[in-house]
Amino acid sequence: MTIRLGYGTNGLTDLRLDDALELLADLGYDGVGLTLDHMHLDPLAPDLAARTRHVAAALDRSGLGVTIETGARYVLDPRRKHGPSLLDPDPEARAVRTRLLLRAVDVAADLGAHAVHCFSGITPPGTCPETAWQRLTDALAPVLDAAARTGVPLAIEPEPGHLLATLSDFHHLRVLSGDPEPLGLTLDIGHCQCLEPAAPADCVRAAAPWLRHVQIEDMRRGVHEHLPFGDGEIDFPPVLEALDALGDTGYHGLTVVELPRHSHAGPELARTSVEFLRSRIPSMSSKGATPCR
């Protein structure tokens, strides 16, 4: 099996981090998408290095791989969701977000993470596209330097409603940035269903050379709402077949279940999600895995 399944801690916010890691290991996950936030590994609280060492030991005990995610809603500003962003009109505000990403790269290196995930942010009102793209490339430049230094790739995610919303937008950033080797892609399967012109399985194949991180959940066309598997419209067998073949292209990162609004049912959804996906992964079902109902 080439698909390495993980579950995002942003969908387990009612659990202590150690308990969440133990749960995922017991359920047979291969890794975790660790969102840096106040309830788990707070990137702004004192003694980050010591707390990171504690998490590293917990990951080692559990045998879980890790990707660092930076999509915490209010980690930088308690009044503005995802604020400040890399596109903020205020240069110092943009620098605050850049410093968070730099800290995330260092944490990822200390944990042996596969990648650091990020996104562009929403274009502020009155900002022309050229200005927004220039702000994004400038703000990411030191992060890409840090990624090159540590060997931990930066994986930017096309996010509905953001400046960088589609695979085409990712390639635009790649060209504007001079196609730096540390710049990779986070592909969210639900987002493909939501707004990409191609089918999700085709998006996987098209994105393969740049993939550094994968997120997965169900979703409906035109509606940006992360749904438990079976509640949306995605035809998962072709998607999982495409993901299963990624090992041939060199991708060995995680495919992380992304249900950030379902923490109230996190432990149960972690269980049903891994059962759903395993029963539909070609290399597992061919070995006689029992499909879940």
Side-chain angles (χ1 to χ4, degrees), residues 179-226:
D179 198 15
E181 193 278 333
L183 179 61
L185 173 70
T186 292
L187 186 71
D188 187 298
I189 301 302
H191 295 173
C192 296
Q193 175 71 20
C194 180
L195 83 171
E196 292 286 350
D202 292 332
C203 291
V204 172
R205 287 184 281 268
W210 299 277
L211 272 186
R212 301 297 180 266
H213 185 42
V214 178
Q215 297 172 343
I216 192 166
E217 69 284 316
D218 216 339
M219 203 168 286
R220 301 185 182 97
R221 184 70 178 170
V223 182
H224 184 202
E225 182 182 4
H226 291 235

Side-chain angles (χ1 to χ4, degrees), residues 133-157:
W133 284 108
Q134 188 61 55
R135 287 177 185 168
L136 181 61
T137 54
D138 290 347
L140 287 179
V143 186
L144 291 168
D145 289 343
R149 170 178 52 82
T150 59
V152 180
L154 185 69
I156 194 163
E157 177 187 8

Side-chain angles (χ1 to χ4, degrees), residues 2-263:
T2 57
I3 300 180
R4 301 178 62 238
L5 296 176
Y7 200 93
T9 59
N10 59 4
L12 295 169
T13 57
D14 292 328
L15 276 67
R16 298 178 182 88
L17 182 55
D18 283 2
D19 292 339
L21 298 179
E22 183 178 355
L23 169 74
L24 297 180
D26 288 347
L27 290 173
Y29 280 94
D30 302 293
V32 59
L34 175 56
T35 296
L36 301 183
D37 207 350
H38 66 90
M39 76 291 291
H40 287 147
L41 185 55
D42 188 340
L44 304 184
D47 300 321
L48 178 59
R51 290 182 289 111
T52 300
R53 288 193 295 272
H54 175 87
V55 174
L59 288 167
D60 186 62
R61 288 193 303 271
S62 64
L64 295 173
V66 61
T67 300
I68 296 299
E69 302 200 3
T70 62
R73 295 184 180 95
Y74 296 100
V75 69
L76 294 178
D77 188 331
R79 294 172 176 82
R80 284 195 299 160
K81 181 181 178 182
H82 298 315
S85 81
L86 296 170
L87 307 179
D88 199 289
D90 180 2
E92 178 51 36
R94 295 197 299 274
V96 170
R97 176 64 62 172
T98 294
R99 286 195 291 270
L100 174 68
L101 296 181
L102 289 170
R103 189 164 294 192
V105 171
D106 288 338
V107 169
D110 290 341
L111 295 179
H114 303 292
V116 170
H117 149 279
C118 70
F119 44 59
S120 68
I122 297 169
T123 304
T127 303
C128 69
E130 293 80 6
T131 298
W133 284 108
Q134 188 61 55
R135 287 177 185 168
L136 181 61
T137 54
D138 290 347
L140 287 179
V143 186
L144 291 168
D145 289 343
R149 170 178 52 82
T150 59
V152 180
L154 185 69
I156 194 163
E157 177 187 8
E159 182 82 18
H162 284 209
L163 173 69
L164 197 154
T166 65
L167 288 173
S168 177
D169 292 332
F170 165 73
H171 291 298
H172 183 60
L173 174 66
R174 192 168 58 82
V175 171
L176 286 177
S177 302
D179 198 15
E181 193 278 333
L183 179 61
L185 173 70
T186 292
L187 186 71
D188 187 298
I189 301 302
H191 295 173
C192 296
Q193 175 71 20
C194 180
L195 83 171
E196 292 286 350
D202 292 332
C203 291
V204 172
R205 287 184 281 268
W210 299 277
L211 272 186
R212 301 297 180 266
H213 185 42
V214 178
Q215 297 172 343
I216 192 166
E217 69 284 316
D218 216 339
M219 203 168 286
R220 301 185 182 97
R221 184 70 178 170
V223 182
H224 184 202
E225 182 182 4
H226 291 235
L227 299 172
F229 298 108
D231 288 0
E233 301 171 341
I234 297 177
D235 181 16
F236 279 99
V239 173
L240 293 168
E241 182 178 0
L243 289 171
D244 204 33
L246 284 177
D248 297 334
T249 70
Y251 179 74
H252 302 291
L254 296 172
T255 296
V256 171
V257 178
E258 183 79 356
L259 293 173
R261 296 186 179 182
H262 292 77
S263 281

